[in-house]
Amino acid sequence: MTATARKNGIRVCIDRGGTFTDCVASVPVPVSEEHPTGRRELVVKLLSVDPSNYPDAPREGIRRILEIATGKPHPRDQLVATENLESIRMGTTVATNALLERKGQRCALLITKGFKDLLLIGNQSRPKIFDLSITKPDVLYQAVVEVEERVTLVGYTSSPMGIVENIDPNDSAYVKGISGEYVHILQKPDMEQVRKQLQDLYDQGFRSIAVCLLHSYTFVDHEQAVGALAQEIGFTHISLSSSIMPMIKMVPRGTSGTADAYLTPCIKTYVDGFVSGFDENLTKNVSLQFMQSDGGLVPVSHFSGLRAILSGPAGGVVGYGMTAFDIKHGVPVIGFDMGGTSTDVSRFSGKYEHVFETTTAGVTVQAPQLDINTVAAGGGSMLFFRNGTFVVGPESASAHPGPACYRKGGPLTVTDANLVLGRLNPEYFPKIFGPKENESLDINIARSKFEELTREINDYMAKDKQAAGSKWTPMTVDEVAYGFIKVANETMCRPIRALTEAKGHDASKHILSVFGGAGGQHACAIAQALGISSIYIHKYASVLSAYGLSLADVVYEAQEPSSETLSEKSLPLLKERVQHLVSQCHEELGKQGFDSNHIECEIYLNLRYHGTDCALMTLKPNDAENWNFEEAFVDNYKYEFGFHLPDRSIIVDDIRIRGIGKSAQSSPVSVQEEVKTLNPVPVDPSKADGLTSIYFEAGRNDQTPIYLLEKLPVGSKVSGPAIIMDANSAILIQPFSTGLVTSSTVVITIGDGQKSRITTEMDPIMLAVFGNRFMSIAEQMGRTLQKTAISTNIKERLDFSCALFGPDGGLVANAPHIPVHLGSLSHAVQYQMAYYKGDISEGDVIMTNHPAAGGSHLPDITIITPVFNNGEVVFFVASRGHHADIGGILPGSMPPNSKELYQEGAAIRSFKLVSKGHFDLEGLTRLLLEEPAKYPGCSGTRCLRDNVSDLKAQVAANHKGIGLVKGLIAEYGLDVVQAYMMHIRKNAEAAVRDLLKGARRRSEGKDLVATDFMDDGSRISLRIEINPEDGSAIFDFEGTSEEVYGNCNAPASVTHSAIIYCLRCMVAMDIPLNQGCLTPVTIKIPEKSMLAPSETAAVVGGNVLVSQRLVDVILKAFQVCGASQGCMNNLTFGVGGKTVDTKTGDTKVVEGWGYYETIAGGAGAGPTWHGQSGVHTHMTNTRITDPEILERRYPVILREFALRKGSGGEGLHPGGEGVVRDIEFLEPMEVSILSERRVFQPYGIAGGGPGQSGKNLWVQKRVIRKKDGLLVAAAAATDNDFKDDDDETEIVFRTVNLSGKNTAYVKAGDRLLVCTPGGGAWGAKDGAHPGVTGSSVPIAQQTWMRGSVSEYQSLHEASV
């Protein structure tokens, strides 16, 4: 189409958003001084949906542009004439909205047998760890069909033993895949059966299908055969996962395929409707292109739903990247696009930053997308005063009813706050509000609602202060509104800090490019908070996503998987594959009219170190002859993570070519260069269009001038305070800042300004600000740890916690990552304080993991560092990470049958890992390697090098925290920071006291009582006595069983963690997690019980199993919901470790490999929700390894991973179902299971039925002699041991119950079926539920966020 498009016509770029459609047109005109390029630009903005006036907003926008440009009428009731059009470029939210609203095409999924529920289970983690009413997004397909086919990979990568080279090339069961890996075809699909299945779907009305078969990223034959058959039957859209995105990982590839099947038909329907409104020449003579999520344009024929999810926002990134970044100056740019319901944050430094696996609206897809991070804070974010603090969002008023000032009965929002403060002036906004959409913004409604809220705040604070013996100075409406703006700004700053610092960038060393309707009102405050000195606001900022389309390039991408090791030997093959893909890109872009001189190809290899999951998409160096990807990868890796792994090989996961068709455009002078040439002239105050009253930090300024941007000549310098109005938005210039008008951009320079003095008195605004700042410290510590750690557990599974503590050792802030760490970290800090009694020096770093010293279980090592100020300890920072091994009787240090603590590895009460700056490697080696090996049957750590690296990473994380704490002290003063530490604790305390008072009322004054049992019969008893006057409570565990001779003993710190977790779940608001949560609670635990065991007792089961039962007991006492699966289903298998030579008696350590996972189950139901199925609950939330990754790394075949039908309890609200995980072992190995709820069922509540208990079944494959039934040999049984003509032997299968906790030595062909428990139901099935006095925990409103920051946060919440 591009090849035949007419030249020098009207070029239209359109961004169709959810509320407005923005159109920017370039119209040819005679060359003149005013139009030196021979073109002028037109801007048209209209409502996206206005069915009473037009059926399609983009088409209507083009019609209006043609009328303006030609001066001729183009009637709406006629087809739009195209003779004057050269090109149409469009970004659209059609796919995004269909995904958000779940209004896509009805589709079906075909998947390998045994995995029909795989996409429903997903990675098994729950989205929000404190939501008892777990809500997971629905799958996009309406039917699923299992295809009886199976392939697996040959060999495995976790050990050199897994390399297989002697494959018979004549054996048709073995095929070399696209990635270079060999595939073993276990079962070919029965195509007649598949035909019947497809025909049945077709007869049901399905026309769109997705096909996702195991390992199709490298072996495509089976998928292609199914696809060809579907096409023959008549399906109109067929998404093969191997074609959509040929990358390893079945779950995201499957969801990508279903997303494409769900969304692409919607795109095609929309495009067909759009095109039908033009004359027949549109597709012949006009270039019609759409923006993809990756920032590149494609012709309409190539536009798919999968790559359209960020079509709208992508244009904005291109817009600011092309207008704000100057390659000569090299200053990177942060994009800040603030809209009505959310804010998009991104970064540009000369190259677009892409991510390749993202989650939008709960759907994880594999496709290149710009790294656009969406924050649930925008102009429509609702304002609340909750529990003594200011809260902004995440709930939004959206477009309907909208903010209160929209005159439709909406709530107070950020927009209302800006209006009341004078930052929005109704006179400059169109009259499109009210029921008839013909009125202006209503400041009176907004002010009235703020007056009501201000009274509420003053009443609450006056009572609170009076109770504390002090007096409250009432706040004004302005102070309240401004307070909410400050909180909103801090909410938006947190993800910007995370986005930049996560990748090693300093936020202050960026330009802030602001666009979107609401961004101009917050730009100065955001920049000032981040330390940014320059803000760029383009003249088309309010329509920048549309304008960016005019600057975008056409893109075609080609990609294929690989499994090569990067080396001189593999380079020729890699070059050959690269050239093949480059040729594809040239051919495709050539068809679109680009000659080879205007085509560039970026060559990427997706590289990772062997044995890690962290792949980096690495760009080939610019020099055509330079193929040194290793150097580029190592540089990227060191920059991203702070270290590299020189002793590990580098694996090529994917080869990717990004073909770019360059548009022939002149390069305008950059903003930076233009500023150098300007002689700024202060604007004449008389040029102001008017004066207005605006509230700032120092108070109201009633003489704030308003300037119209269109009337300010280039070079005008506007000093703050002032407002600059453009056609569709307001730019606020704060006091002490200045704005310079260039030909394209308003450049704002931020001054130092004046900050009001913050006192130690509790202020509800600063309470929210400090809450964000304290939490940000914990989060940034976590990012440092994740970046600098080396082990999979910490770096990739993110199994760690970082926290900030006061000088008393009490918790201040703990980013909510690991529930079982919540209450126990402060125990560890306070133990060390008592242990050293002040004998701690600056430069000391303490290490501990002992259960008696506040530990959870031994693999969790805690590193504690004091924060000094003027020679005094003023805070502590700590990080706790799960180490892969610290010795003991089994690899992984989590033995299912341990009886004594020493069997679980190194136990360290206290050790100065760093003493006055000196890292004690010798002492560490003794404690981790030598001491554990002194015990019978035990080994020292099996991975000392990784232990040392991770401990150094923990030290680095603490160091980062110290710097941030000291920065906060420098900014506000120690007295203020410590005062707000206490204020935030009291805030959490008040919320918990209110919760306990409510529970007391519902129980009608009775104590709350509950009992439950471990599978060995051990009892956990709890009585909760609540004081109705002050909301305090005694949690008394009297009656709990004695310490057990096993490992189901829980340190007291675990009980504290379970209690704080349950309290946080039951509080119906987002309260800070700190020591205040436990202030109202007195905990009584019988000494020498299983909840307070002796110091030598084994505890590994206490951390992962008893912790879950504790939660069940606490929630049962409060009658909140049915029991969840009550287990983590800890499974380990592998080979190697310490062995004894039977002949000599000598011990030796055999190198091997190991694997560990926890498995999901059913969640309990509650009074307003059904239990969720196939999900992790309560004290764990780990993700599970993708089936394809599992089979690539280890000698196993995953036969089934599906929901366990009927395992959820029956009732009015049924419990969630557990899962079945069926693993076949291909080699002999050691397998251990540590699980619970194999005897006692998860209870139902309020008359609801219990969930089914779990079971672990070992299916043994053996060869026996027919004549006497004896085993032929103890060696592994394989198919070769049994031949059809062998009358003497036969293969038999024996199924045995492995029980809840056991270790087995399996043979090749053996299988393990882990059947996890279901959740308990709520309410009797007939609807009767007498005597219910339980709490109702509201279902949290889902707010979809996206981007690398959101991915990081969700991965953190998906950790043990």
Side-chain angles (χ1 to χ4, degrees):
M1 283 181 285
T2 306
T4 57
R6 65 173 58 86
K7 304 298 181 184
N8 206 34
I10 298 172
R11 303 166 188 161
V12 185
C13 296
I14 304 169
D15 173 38
R16 186 192 185 281
T19 305
F20 290 103
T21 292
D22 301 329
C23 307
V24 176
S26 173
V27 181
V29 295
V31 176
S32 64
E33 186 176 339
E34 184 181 359
H35 303 293
T37 63
R39 287 190 168 269
R40 71 184 177 108
E41 288 164 338
L42 297 176
V43 176
V44 170
K45 198 177 188 78
L46 66 160
L47 290 170
S48 293
V49 180
D50 190 357
S52 61
N53 289 307
Y54 45 82
D56 182 73
R59 189 164 70 234
E60 172 66 12
I62 294 171
R63 189 193 68 78
R64 294 182 188 182
I65 286 169
L66 289 172
E67 287 193 337
I68 297 170
T70 64
K72 299 176 183 178
H74 286 65
R76 281 181 181 158
D77 58 355
Q78 296 180 15
L79 296 178
V80 178
T82 61
E83 68 265 17
N84 294 305
L85 292 173
E86 177 183 335
S87 66
I88 299 171
R89 294 180 166 188
M90 195 185 307
T92 176
T93 57
V94 169
T96 313
N97 292 341
L99 196 59
L100 289 169
E101 300 167 11
R102 293 298 195 260
K103 292 182 178 178
Q105 175 71 40
R106 187 166 175 258
C107 63
L109 168 68
L110 284 85
I111 197 167
T112 301
K113 185 176 182 180
F115 298 91
K116 65 180 182 297
D117 300 316
L118 181 68
L119 303 191
L120 183 64
I121 298 169
N123 61 29
Q124 79 177 7
S125 66
R126 60 193 188 276
K128 297 180 183 297
I129 60 173
F130 297 118
D131 281 357
L132 296 175
S133 52
I134 301 169
T135 52
K136 293 195 338 186
D138 295 331
V139 292
L140 299 180
Y141 52 85
Q142 286 71 46
V144 61
V145 170
E146 290 187 302
V147 179
E148 291 195 41
E149 66 83 43
R150 192 62 162 91
V151 304
T152 190
L153 301 179
V154 177
Y156 54 95
T157 64
S158 61
S159 167
M161 297 182 295
I163 299 173
V164 178
E165 295 178 339
N166 56 342
I167 294 175
D168 183 356
N170 299 317
D171 190 340
S172 61
Y174 295 89
V175 179
K176 194 171 188 178
I178 297 170
S179 64
E181 297 164 287
Y182 272 95
V183 173
H184 184 193
I185 302 172
L186 301 174
Q187 181 180 5
K188 292 184 177 181
D190 180 344
M191 298 313 294
E192 282 307 310
Q193 178 65 25
V194 174
R195 179 185 291 276
K196 292 177 183 177
Q197 293 171 316
L198 286 169
Q199 189 64 54
D200 184 51
L201 289 173
Y202 192 87
D203 293 343
Q204 294 176 46
F206 288 96
R207 295 297 180 269
S208 181
I209 63 166
V211 185
C212 183
L213 305 180
L214 259 169
H215 301 295
S216 64
Y217 72 94
T218 187
F219 179 73
V220 301
D221 296 22
H222 291 178
E223 271 196 13
Q224 289 181 347
V226 173
L229 198 54
Q231 192 168 17
E232 180 185 325
I233 287 173
F235 287 92
T236 55
H237 185 81
I238 302 160
S239 294
L240 303 183
S241 74
S242 55
S243 300
I244 294 298
M245 183 48 64
M247 295 180 76
I248 192 169
K249 288 189 183 179
M250 188 183 191
V251 172
R253 198 175 67 252
T255 53
S256 299
T258 56
D260 188 73
Y262 188 72
L263 298 175
T264 298
C266 297
I267 292 286
K268 290 181 178 176
T269 299
Y270 173 74
V271 170
D272 290 344
F274 172 76
V275 170
S276 68
F278 293 84
D279 64 30
E280 70 279 2
N281 293 315
L282 178 70
T283 56
K284 298 176 183 177
N285 301 325
V286 180
S287 170
L288 178 57
Q289 298 168 325
F290 281 81
M291 173 61 79
Q292 295 190 121
S293 302
D294 63 359
L297 293 163
V298 291
V300 62
S301 58
H302 287 49
F303 192 47
S304 73
L306 178 66
R307 294 173 180 260
I309 293 171
L310 297 187
S311 173
V317 177
V318 175
Y320 83 75
M322 295 296 101
T323 59
F325 180 79
D326 182 350
I327 193 169
K328 180 179 177 182
H329 291 254
V331 180
V333 185
I334 292 171
F336 181 79
D337 177 8
M338 186 175 179
T341 58
S342 62
T343 297
D344 286 339
V345 176
S346 54
R347 183 179 181 275
F348 184 83
S349 58
K351 290 285 184 186
Y352 296 117
E353 297 188 353
H354 290 110
V355 287
F356 298 88
E357 186 175 313
T358 56
T359 303
T360 300
V363 178
T364 301
V365 298
Q366 283 180 325
Q369 297 185 9
L370 292 173
D371 189 7
I372 301 173
N373 293 270
T374 299
V375 188
S381 292
M382 293 164 61
L383 311 180
F384 307 95
F385 181 73
R386 289 175 175 162
N387 194 43
T389 189
F390 283 42
V391 179
V392 177
E395 298 91 342
S396 173
S398 63
H400 296 286
C405 61
Y406 279 20
R407 300 176 182 266
K408 292 182 180 179
L412 277 180
T413 66
V414 170
T415 296
D416 295 300
N418 278 317
L419 182 63
V420 166
L421 294 171
R423 298 162 182 231
L424 293 178
N425 193 316
E427 296 177 17
Y428 292 88
F429 282 80
K431 294 183 178 180
I432 58 173
F433 305 101
K436 297 182 179 180
E437 299 185 345
N438 60 354
E439 298 179 81
S440 63
L441 292 169
D442 191 339
I443 190 170
N444 293 325
I445 291 176
R447 181 167 288 278
S448 174
K449 283 184 173 286
F450 264 111
E451 288 171 350
E452 181 181 342
L453 181 57
T454 301
R455 284 193 294 271
E456 177 190 336
I457 292 170
N458 285 329
D459 288 347
Y460 180 97
M461 295 305 300
K463 291 177 182 176
D464 186 70
K465 291 290 184 182
Q466 185 177 14
S470 58
K471 190 175 182 181
W472 170 248
T473 303
M475 298 180 74
T476 66
V477 167
D478 280 345
E479 289 170 336
V480 169
Y482 185 70
F484 279 111
I485 295 298
K486 288 179 71 173
V487 174
N489 290 339
E490 182 58 38
T491 301
M492 291 182 284
C493 282
R494 265 177 73 183
I496 296 175
R497 293 190 188 104
L499 176 68
T500 52
E501 298 194 17
K503 297 183 178 179
H505 310 302
D506 184 344
S508 67
K509 292 180 171 59
H510 289 70
I511 293 166
L512 186 67
S513 178
V514 176
F515 54 107
Q521 297 133 47
H522 296 258
C524 287
I526 295 290
Q528 193 169 36
L530 295 170
I532 293 173
S533 59
S534 293
I535 301 170
Y536 287 8
I537 302 181
H538 196 270
K539 64 181 179 181
Y540 292 135
S542 64
V543 292
L544 195 65
S545 289
Y547 184 70
L549 293 169
S550 68
L551 308 175
D553 295 318
V554 177
V555 168
Y556 179 83
E557 289 210 2
Q559 180 171 323
E560 67 177 36
S562 174
S563 62
E564 296 291 337
T565 298
L566 186 65
S567 65
E568 287 295 327
K569 182 180 177 182
S570 66
L571 195 56
L573 176 61
L574 292 171
K575 286 183 177 180
E576 179 185 327
R577 300 313 304 158
V578 164
Q579 189 53 51
H580 173 69
L581 297 177
V582 165
S583 298
Q584 279 187 29
C585 292
H586 273 269
E587 181 182 352
E588 182 56 43
L589 291 171
K591 291 177 183 177
Q592 297 178 41
F594 292 95
D595 60 47
S596 58
N597 293 329
H598 290 94
I599 298 174
E600 294 180 4
C601 284
E602 295 178 347
I603 300 170
Y604 294 87
L605 296 183
N606 199 25
L607 304 174
R608 62 180 172 83
Y609 280 119
H610 178 76
T612 73
D613 274 340
C614 192
L616 295 179
M617 195 64 75
T618 305
L619 177 64
K620 179 186 174 297
N622 284 330
D623 183 0
E625 299 304 315
N626 186 352
W627 285 79
N628 191 350
F629 274 95
E630 180 175 357
E631 183 178 339
F633 170 72
V634 169
D635 288 346
N636 288 349
Y637 202 91
K638 286 195 291 189
Y639 187 82
E640 188 91 5
F641 303 119
F643 67 96
H644 69 122
L645 305 171
D647 57 339
R648 298 201 188 189
S649 56
I650 298 172
I651 306 299
V652 182
D653 271 347
D654 303 279
I655 303 168
R656 171 183 170 234
I657 309 299
R658 184 174 173 84
I660 303 170
K662 290 286 185 180
S663 304
Q665 298 174 352
S666 58
S667 299
V669 176
S670 72
V671 176
Q672 291 92 328
E673 290 297 314
E674 183 181 359
V675 167
K676 289 181 181 179
T677 66
L678 295 178
N679 183 22
V681 177
V683 70
D684 185 347
S686 66
K687 300 293 185 182
D689 194 62
L691 298 175
T692 190
S693 176
I694 301 180
Y695 185 87
F696 295 98
E697 181 95 23
R700 272 206 174 261
N701 185 315
D702 296 328
Q703 300 295 309
T704 304
I706 300 175
Y707 298 100
L708 301 182
L709 181 58
E710 62 191 31
K711 293 184 178 180
L712 293 176
V714 172
S716 297
K717 181 180 180 180
V718 179
S719 297
I723 283 184
I724 299 176
M725 292 295 307
D726 72 3
N728 297 292
S729 63
I731 301 170
L732 175 69
I733 300 180
Q734 288 188 162
F736 306 101
S737 298
T738 59
L740 176 64
V741 180
T742 74
S743 59
S744 65
T745 302
V746 176
V747 178
I748 300 175
T749 301
I750 301 297
D752 292 336
Q754 291 181 340
K755 284 195 173 182
S756 58
R757 168 66 182 161
I758 306 299
T759 70
T760 58
E761 284 293 308
M762 202 280 278
D763 176 270
I765 300 165
M766 294 309 299
L767 188 69
V769 171
F770 269 101
N772 273 299
R773 294 295 293 273
F774 286 143
M775 190 63 78
S776 182
I777 290 171
E779 289 172 346
Q780 291 187 60
M781 287 174 64
R783 289 180 177 278
T784 300
L785 177 51
Q786 187 258 347
K787 279 180 59 176
T788 55
I790 195 171
S791 70
T792 298
N793 267 355
I794 294 180
K795 188 169 198 62
E796 292 156 16
R797 294 179 66 242
L798 278 63
D799 191 349
F800 64 83
S801 281
C802 295
L804 173 66
F805 304 85
D808 59 351
L811 181 65
V812 176
N814 184 170
H817 305 147
I818 316 298
V820 79
H821 293 171
L822 288 176
S824 59
L825 275 168
S826 60
H827 280 245
V829 175
Q830 289 167 346
Y831 181 93
Q832 300 306 320
M833 291 174 65
Y835 185 86
Y836 286 101
K837 297 182 173 64
D839 183 22
I840 304 176
S841 304
E842 194 156 6
D844 288 354
V845 180
I846 301 164
M847 169 179 160
T848 181
N849 73 338
H850 201 291
S856 45
H857 62 170
L858 297 184
D860 283 346
I861 298 180
T862 304
I863 299 298
I864 300 166
T865 311
V867 182
F868 282 83
N869 186 66
N870 295 328
E872 297 290 329
V873 176
V874 294
F875 282 95
F876 288 91
V877 289
S879 54
R880 176 174 286 179
H882 184 115
H883 288 245
D885 194 289
I886 54 161
I889 58 176
L890 284 178
S893 305
M894 294 187 64
N897 293 319
S898 54
K899 303 293 191 295
E900 302 288 345
L901 187 63
Y902 69 78
Q903 297 175 320
E904 297 173 0
I908 302 159
R909 285 181 177 277
S910 184
F911 170 62
K912 283 193 177 181
L913 179 65
V914 181
S915 181
K916 297 181 180 178
H918 170 70
F919 189 92
D920 188 357
L921 180 59
E922 183 179 344
L924 178 65
T925 303
R926 176 178 54 79
L927 287 173
L928 292 184
L929 190 62
E930 299 170 11
E931 291 295 329
K934 293 178 180 178
Y935 293 95
C938 293
S939 165
T941 177
R942 299 161 182 87
C943 51
L944 179 64
R945 187 172 56 172
D946 284 4
N947 293 137
V948 172
S949 296
D950 285 347
L951 289 169
K952 288 182 176 179
Q954 289 179 254
V955 172
N958 287 11
H959 183 73
K960 176 71 172 180
I962 291 171
L964 294 170
V965 172
K966 289 185 174 180
L968 200 60
I969 292 171
E971 185 175 351
Y972 291 103
L974 177 62
D975 58 340
V976 172
V977 175
Q978 289 193 332
Y980 273 92
M981 172 194 74
M982 298 306 299
H983 295 327
I984 285 174
R985 286 185 186 173
K986 289 177 181 176
N987 179 251
E989 176 188 340
V992 171
R993 289 186 186 277
D994 286 344
L995 165 75
L996 293 171
K997 288 177 184 177
R1000 168 76 176 189
R1001 288 192 299 271
R1002 286 187 293 273
S1003 69
E1004 299 176 349
K1006 299 175 183 176
D1007 289 350
L1008 309 181
V1009 179
T1011 296
D1012 207 341
F1013 297 88
M1014 303 295 289
D1015 282 350
D1016 64 0
S1018 300
R1019 174 197 300 266
I1020 299 178
S1021 294
L1022 173 63
R1023 176 177 294 274
I1024 304 173
E1025 182 182 335
I1026 301 174
N1027 184 326
E1029 302 300 322
D1030 62 5
S1032 63
I1034 298 172
F1035 282 60
D1036 189 348
F1037 290 90
E1038 186 64 39
T1040 296
S1041 293
E1042 298 80 7
E1043 172 187 323
V1044 300
Y1045 185 56
N1047 58 34
C1048 282
N1049 299 294
S1053 61
V1054 170
T1055 301
H1056 285 71
S1057 294
I1059 292 173
I1060 197 172
Y1061 166 79
C1062 292
L1063 293 173
R1064 172 60 186 84
C1065 288
M1066 291 185 288
V1067 172
M1069 65 182 76
D1070 189 12
I1071 63 169
L1073 286 163
N1074 57 49
Q1075 206 66 30
C1077 294
L1078 288 181
T1079 300
V1081 176
T1082 300
I1083 302 172
K1084 294 184 177 181
I1085 304 174
E1087 288 189 18
K1088 306 304 179 185
S1089 70
M1090 61 184 294
L1091 302 183
S1094 58
E1095 295 187 2
T1096 59
V1099 297
V1100 66
N1103 186 66
V1104 297
L1105 300 179
V1106 179
S1107 63
Q1108 295 282 53
R1109 189 69 79 261
L1110 277 164
V1111 171
D1112 283 345
V1113 171
I1114 296 166
L1115 295 179
K1116 185 178 184 180
F1118 281 93
Q1119 292 285 290
V1120 171
C1121 57
S1124 294
Q1125 69 157 333
C1127 182
M1128 297 185 190
N1129 304 295
N1130 303 268
L1131 174 66
T1132 59
F1133 53 79
V1135 297
K1138 188 175 181 180
T1139 62
V1140 179
D1141 189 308
T1142 55
K1143 295 181 179 179
T1144 65
D1146 295 335
T1147 60
K1148 62 177 181 177
V1149 176
V1150 178
E1151 185 178 350
W1153 55 267
Y1155 173 72
Y1156 169 64
E1157 70 180 18
T1158 59
I1159 307 171
T1168 58
W1169 70 88
H1170 296 335
Q1172 186 62 251
S1173 299
V1175 69
H1176 258 322
T1177 56
H1178 301 321
M1179 302 300 273
T1180 187
N1181 201 27
T1182 50
R1183 295 184 176 189
I1184 200 156
T1185 306
D1186 188 271
E1188 292 176 345
I1189 296 290
L1190 182 71
E1191 293 188 7
R1192 173 190 264 187
R1193 286 188 179 171
Y1194 306 104
V1196 298
I1197 296 176
L1198 184 61
R1199 290 294 184 181
E1200 182 181 12
F1201 188 36
L1203 296 182
R1204 187 182 173 206
K1205 299 301 181 186
S1207 58
E1210 294 187 354
L1212 181 66
H1213 296 147
E1217 294 178 329
V1219 303
V1220 176
R1221 193 158 173 88
D1222 183 350
I1223 300 173
E1224 179 182 342
F1225 303 99
L1226 302 180
E1227 292 183 359
M1229 65 186 75
E1230 187 175 58
V1231 178
S1232 295
I1233 185 76
L1234 183 59
S1235 61
E1236 267 289 327
R1237 290 288 193 201
R1238 269 48 183 178
V1239 178
F1240 292 95
Q1241 295 174 264
Y1243 62 78
I1245 206 161
Q1252 282 189 15
S1253 55
K1255 55 185 175 181
N1256 308 315
L1257 302 178
W1258 178 10
V1259 181
Q1260 300 172 339
K1261 181 181 181 181
R1262 300 291 182 265
V1263 179
I1264 64 169
R1265 289 192 310 210
K1266 290 182 180 179
K1267 64 179 181 180
D1268 54 15
L1270 296 177
L1271 288 175
V1272 170
T1278 68
D1279 289 337
N1280 292 329
D1281 293 321
F1282 175 60
K1283 301 179 179 58
D1284 292 337
D1285 59 352
D1286 191 341
D1287 294 328
E1288 296 183 4
T1289 63
E1290 65 177 332
I1291 291 178
V1292 296
F1293 293 92
R1294 175 189 178 211
T1295 299
V1296 297
N1297 190 328
L1298 204 55
S1299 74
K1301 304 167 188 66
N1302 217 328
T1303 296
Y1305 298 89
V1306 299
K1307 303 178 187 298
D1310 286 4
R1311 289 161 44 217
L1312 176 67
L1313 278 76
V1314 180
C1315 305
T1316 68
W1322 190 95
K1325 201 170 183 180
D1326 60 7
H1329 39 87
V1332 177
T1333 58
S1335 306
S1336 175
V1337 180
I1339 297 177
Q1341 176 179 329
Q1342 288 285 332
T1343 301
W1344 301 117
M1345 301 199 294
R1346 61 169 176 250
S1348 61
V1349 174
S1350 175
E1351 289 298 304
Y1352 175 88
Q1353 182 179 348
S1354 65
L1355 182 57
H1356 249 312
E1357 293 201 349
S1359 300
V1360 170

